[in-house]
Amino acid sequence: MTNLAQNLLDSASQHPERPALRMDDAELSYGEFRDAALGVAASLRERGVQPGDRVGLVLPNVLAFPVAFYGALLAGAAVVPMNPLLKAREVQYFLEDSGARVVVTLEATAGPVREAADVVGAEAVVVGPASPAELMAAEPLDAPVERDGEDLAVILYTSGTTGQPKGAELTHANLSGNALTTADTLAENTADDVIMGCLPLFHVFGLTCGLNTAVLRGSLLTLIPRFDGAKALSVIARDRVTIFEGVPTMFAAMLHSPGDGEHDVSSLRLCVSGGSAMPVEIMRSFEERFGCTILEGYGLSETSPVASFNHPHAERKPGSIGTPIRGVEMRLVDDDGNAVGAGEVGEIAIRGENVMRGYWERPEETAKAIPDGWFRTGDLARTDEDGYFFIVDRKKEMIIRGGYNVYPREIEEALYEHPAVAEVAVVGIAHPELGEEVAAAVALKPGAAAEPDELREFVKARVAAYKYPRHLWLVETLPKGPTGKILRRAVEVPQEVGTR
């Protein structure tokens, strides 16, 4: 049996009374978690979900997410997690592309999800945050559906700078292996650990390093539906959290929280940072203030996600993403796939048990991304004499805003829907707390008129709140290359906006 959900059954049989999931006053033991997930699995089977079918989850970090996630896996389905901030047009695309039969959400996000599900002919099921009772059959599934290690477990949507988002196919073996390596060699966690679940579970970092690793070890995962620095500190103190995982903006928010001295956070033994580069000053200040170690790592949706790390018992180099994890190889290559020399900058290529099966129903994109068994990340880096990797820049023009990926092309497409817009270039500009902020330069059609505020609101109505450009300005024309392609990196950002 290689179904990832077997980890839940094993942990529940070993210590059914041990607390598994907590969200403020709501709590599930491992036995209750298992029974609820088996109830979800039975309900999905009754609704016609067959092994290999896709089930969408549009849920924040509430107890219903882990229960529905493991329930879908127990039924043999593959899960398509989605950000609950998405608008109907975005959800519709993911449902259409994945062919999901059922999509699960909360009442708060039911409007756009139902609208999208109706268009594509999927069934929308609205559940409560503390329990997906509406998706639980009276008679639970008696045994999990067997899955092969190479069978699909999760489709995570990601995108390049061109074209529509594409689904990274992560298998049961991908996710099981990455969770085991995280538990064994990075977090070194046991059943006695309490893991902080404030990273979104619909994102691969929170899903693997938070949920799946906790379930594997029988640890407690304590959830925060919406991150807030002061709330996180209070939960760390209340639940005696031992492992905190976050993106740099979360560490900064806790560090700058006005009430940080009120909470006893002495239980923290390890903090894990990923998603974007951790500013060295924030790392130093956080460790000094809270008396714990921060280990920084690197990964992508396509690599389940962890690929490299500053390992616990090795030298830690601030500013570095460390060295490859167990079962993974990394190297730097030029545009032709040839290895570059020591100290030279090249694109990170990854090979190993963590690399996705491919992009969902996109064989050409898969061949381009993994031309020779090595996944091309689009990230440029160099290595030092000890083999530690240092990110230099992104080859792709993706923007990372507060740990969330924003793809310029998607925002540009939304702006092009405005009748006055002729040309658009969306770029990232430096932001002291979020890392990057989304900005847009817009050229209008001859004779057309539109104000920046109007255009900003137009996009805001069409994409998730974290994606729309906070900075938007009008230009006569945009810089172009010899073929007429708009050059995002040559866009001049007005001085009052900031620098890239």
Side-chain angles (χ1 to χ4, degrees), residues 23 26 28 36 40 57-68 103-110 114 125-136 223 225:
M23 182 183 68
L28 288 178
V40 167
L57 298 187
V58 187
L59 296 168
N61 283 19
V62 294
L63 299 189
F65 187 113
V67 174
V103 58
V104 186
T105 192
L106 300 185
E107 189 59 53
T109 46
R114 280 196 180 115
V125 183
V126 179
V127 300
S131 167
E134 298 81 358
L135 191 62
M136 288 162 58
L223 296 168

Side-chain angles (χ1 to χ4, degrees), residues 174 326-329 350-356 373-375:
N174 287 152
R326 181 180 72 190
V328 173
E329 297 173 85
I350 300 172
R351 181 169 71 178
E353 63 186 20
N354 62 334
V355 174
M356 66 171 182
W374 291 81
F375 171 66

